[in-house]
Amino acid sequence: MTDLATAAGAPTEENAIVDGTDATGSAESAGGDGAGDRPVEWAPAEDAPKKKRHIGRWIGIGLGVIALGLGAASTILIAPGTAIAGVQVGGMTAGAAAEAVSNHLNGMQVTLTGEGGGKQVTGSDLGVRVDATKLADKAFAERPMWNITSWMAAPISAPLTLDDRAADHALRAQVPTVYQDATDATVSFTGAGYTATPAKNGSGIDLKALTAAISDAAEKGRSTLSFRAEPAAVSPAISDKDAAATVGELNTLLSTVGFYVGTERTVPIDAATASKWLTVAPEDGKLTIRADQAAIQKSVDALPALVNRAPVNATSIVDSSGSVLDDVTPGVAGRQLGDVSGAAAAFAAQLAEGKGSFALPVKDTPFASTTLLRKIDVNLSTETLTVTENGNVVDSWLISSGRGDFATHTGSFTVNWKLDSQNMGNTDLTKAPFYYQPDVKWVMYFNGDEALHGVYWHDNWGTPMSHGCVGMPEWRAEWLFDWSPQGTEVNVHY
């Protein structure tokens, strides 16, 4: 029978000493120096210390690591419940989301019903386009995982487009009976100018309707859809309106095309020549104007002979004060063409933009000016008229001046006004001045009613014959009329 001490866990003789130490921790209690005569008193045994198992600590650490990982992930992942174009991208990085969206759209299957007969094309065949990267970046920016309020938000709309060329190629291959090419409007030169040939509509599958159907299916998370393939009107890339605008631009260009010095169209280019420089062709759905640099160069090579000129010196008739009475020869500056080595290329570029006037580099050469002081001298003593220019006698001839009481007045005068022809006197010879002379030529009044003029009714030159006028042969009067501008000085004397 086990005693109470043993039952209570007290040490026995066999287990009381552990490594030479008693339960009290003293070696002397086991013997030595008479200690063995003392009865042994056993203290109540303590429970052996148990090994501590830190399971909670390890669980805490694990949850902490997981929490840290989730926290870090929440900074790079899109919030749960986010959909782009029908694709669930929650828990994805922006890059992975972009790829998932692109793959979904490219892999969509479109079954063509009606004339399509059930044939299929994919989103990739149709060139489905969406800026998946931009949309994914937007989703992450607006709906990061760490922002719980952004979870399970409304789907993000993805505006889709189709590559017109890719879609047209793929659909024509599957449903050729639906397609009839549209005819673009064209522009051509007819001799008098440019004219347009009207466009014609074609037929084909309505790409806008197809795009809308694919978008609707994608937003609903579907990867397949059916679309009825039937003819729809297809407008030409270049319409009648486009062609009319180009015709207007070209015909305006023809009216101004040429090489200019200032505002002067010094070397005009005729319409036929300009039309050989220009080509009008469709390019990326538009009519484009191009100019032939080599053809333009031929005209550039001819410019020196057409532009260069010597100056024309000015000649003016003046009075004694220097005031100009008439410009006999207006002065014209000379000009010398500058460097035109790049003119053909530059003009070609201008013409392509619809600009027909090309400014030439020109250096002006100044002109000289000459003045002529012209005078008419009437000598009543010798009945002669003498004309001088800058003090030099130009010519002299006999005249008939006023006689008797009608003698021509002396003094310094100027030509006041001039008439090619005039009837002089009065048809009623009973009234002053009691004479009538019709159709008197080359009349130049210088003093009241006294004038220099031609005489056809006598040839008694050198003798006073008139009522105060200075008469002379008509051919002399005509020369003097042309030689003397209004304001020419007239000196009458004895």
Side-chain angles (χ1 to χ4, degrees):
M1 193 172 170
T2 304
D3 62 22
L4 292 176
T6 302
T12 63
E13 289 184 16
E14 290 81 12
N15 63 13
I17 302 299
V18 181
D19 294 334
T21 306
D22 65 13
T24 65
S26 172
E28 293 178 352
S29 62
D33 294 337
D37 296 334
R38 292 198 302 256
V40 176
E41 294 184 295
W42 298 100
E46 293 182 357
D47 290 337
K50 294 181 180 178
K51 234 178 187 181
K52 292 183 179 178
R53 305 289 183 184
H54 300 289
I55 295 175
R57 180 185 299 175
W58 287 110
I59 292 173
I61 291 173
L63 291 175
V65 169
I66 292 170
L68 287 173
L70 290 173
S74 71
T75 64
I76 61 170
L77 302 180
I78 298 171
T82 300
I84 301 174
V87 179
Q88 291 296 327
V89 296
M92 295 184 185
T93 63
E99 185 176 1
V101 171
S102 295
N103 290 341
H104 172 64
L105 294 175
N106 286 329
M108 291 188 73
Q109 294 283 341
V110 181
T111 301
L112 302 171
T113 62
E115 292 193 32
K119 294 180 180 179
Q120 292 184 332
V121 290
T122 66
S124 178
D125 296 333
L126 299 172
V128 172
R129 293 174 176 173
V130 66
D131 195 341
T133 299
K134 181 178 179 181
L135 291 169
D137 289 343
K138 173 183 172 67
F140 173 70
E142 295 179 356
R143 307 177 185 184
M145 180 178 282
W146 59 263
N147 185 358
I148 297 176
T149 61
S150 67
W151 291 19
M152 304 303 174
I156 295 175
S157 178
L160 306 182
T161 60
L162 300 184
D163 182 325
D164 289 352
R165 290 185 178 181
D168 184 79
H169 177 77
L171 294 169
R172 278 176 183 269
Q174 299 298 328
V175 199
T177 57
V178 171
Y179 281 86
Q180 182 176 353
D181 290 337
T183 302
D184 288 338
T186 59
V187 172
S188 59
F189 183 74
T190 59
Y194 284 91
T195 58
T197 301
K200 293 181 180 179
N201 285 337
S203 64
I205 290 177
D206 188 341
L207 294 184
K208 288 185 179 179
L210 178 57
T211 302
I214 294 173
S215 296
D216 182 64
E219 293 293 343
K220 293 176 179 177
R222 292 160 48 194
S223 59
T224 62
L225 70 146
S226 295
F227 183 81
R228 185 172 181 81
E230 57 187 3
V234 175
S235 299
I238 300 170
S239 67
D240 292 345
K241 182 178 179 181
D242 298 330
T246 302
V247 165
E249 180 181 4
L250 286 167
N251 286 335
T252 299
L253 185 150
L254 290 182
S255 68
T256 60
V257 65
F259 297 93
Y260 285 68
V261 175
T263 58
E264 175 192 87
R265 193 181 179 190
T266 307
V267 184
I269 303 299
D270 62 87
T273 299
S275 70
K276 294 175 182 176
W277 291 2
L278 303 172
T279 56
V280 186
E283 188 174 303
D284 295 330
K286 298 186 296 183
L287 287 172
T288 302
I289 301 171
R290 293 281 182 266
D292 184 350
Q293 180 179 334
I296 297 171
Q297 186 62 51
K298 295 177 182 178
S299 295
V300 172
D301 292 340
L303 287 175
L306 300 172
V307 175
N308 292 344
R309 71 183 181 199
V312 177
N313 293 332
T315 301
S316 302
I317 299 172
V318 298
D319 61 16
S320 295
S321 67
S323 297
V324 176
L325 304 179
D326 187 26
D327 288 321
V328 178
T329 306
V332 179
R335 61 190 178 202
Q336 187 70 31
L337 185 64
D339 180 15
V340 290
S341 58
F347 202 3
Q350 272 193 209
L351 290 169
E353 297 175 355
K355 300 175 183 177
S357 58
F358 186 81
L360 292 172
V362 170
K363 181 180 179 181
D364 286 340
T365 304
F367 59 84
S369 296
T370 300
T371 57
L372 304 174
L373 175 58
R374 292 179 175 179
K375 292 184 178 182
I376 300 172
D377 183 86
V378 178
N379 189 327
L380 300 178
S381 296
T382 59
E383 286 293 301
T384 57
L385 183 148
T386 302
V387 291
T388 62
E389 187 175 85
N390 293 341
N392 300 314
V393 174
V394 175
D395 206 348
S396 182
W397 57 85
L398 292 172
I399 49 108
S400 288
S401 63
R403 66 180 178 180
D405 293 339
F406 301 102
T408 305
H409 291 86
T410 60
S412 296
F413 311 101
T414 59
V415 174
N416 295 320
W417 74 91
K418 301 167 68 174
L419 299 170
D420 293 347
S421 177
Q422 183 184 27
N423 295 327
M424 291 187 174
N426 194 327
T427 55
D428 185 352
L429 298 180
T430 63
K431 297 179 181 179
F434 306 106
Y435 74 90
Y436 177 70
Q437 202 66 53
D439 196 23
V440 179
K441 302 287 178 86
W442 317 119
V443 181
M444 296 193 295
Y445 286 95
F446 61 88
N447 179 31
D449 60 357
E450 294 180 336
L452 302 159
H453 60 75
V455 172
Y456 61 84
W457 53 92
H458 76 80
D459 58 2
N460 193 18
W461 315 119
T463 302
M465 295 285 292
S466 75
H467 280 67
C469 291
V470 176
M472 64 196 77
E474 284 190 312
W475 68 274
R476 290 285 193 183
E478 181 179 7
W479 181 91
L480 186 63
F481 188 95
D482 293 337
W483 186 83
S484 309
Q486 189 169 322
T488 300
E489 297 172 22
V490 179
N491 184 34
V492 181
H493 61 91
Y494 285 99

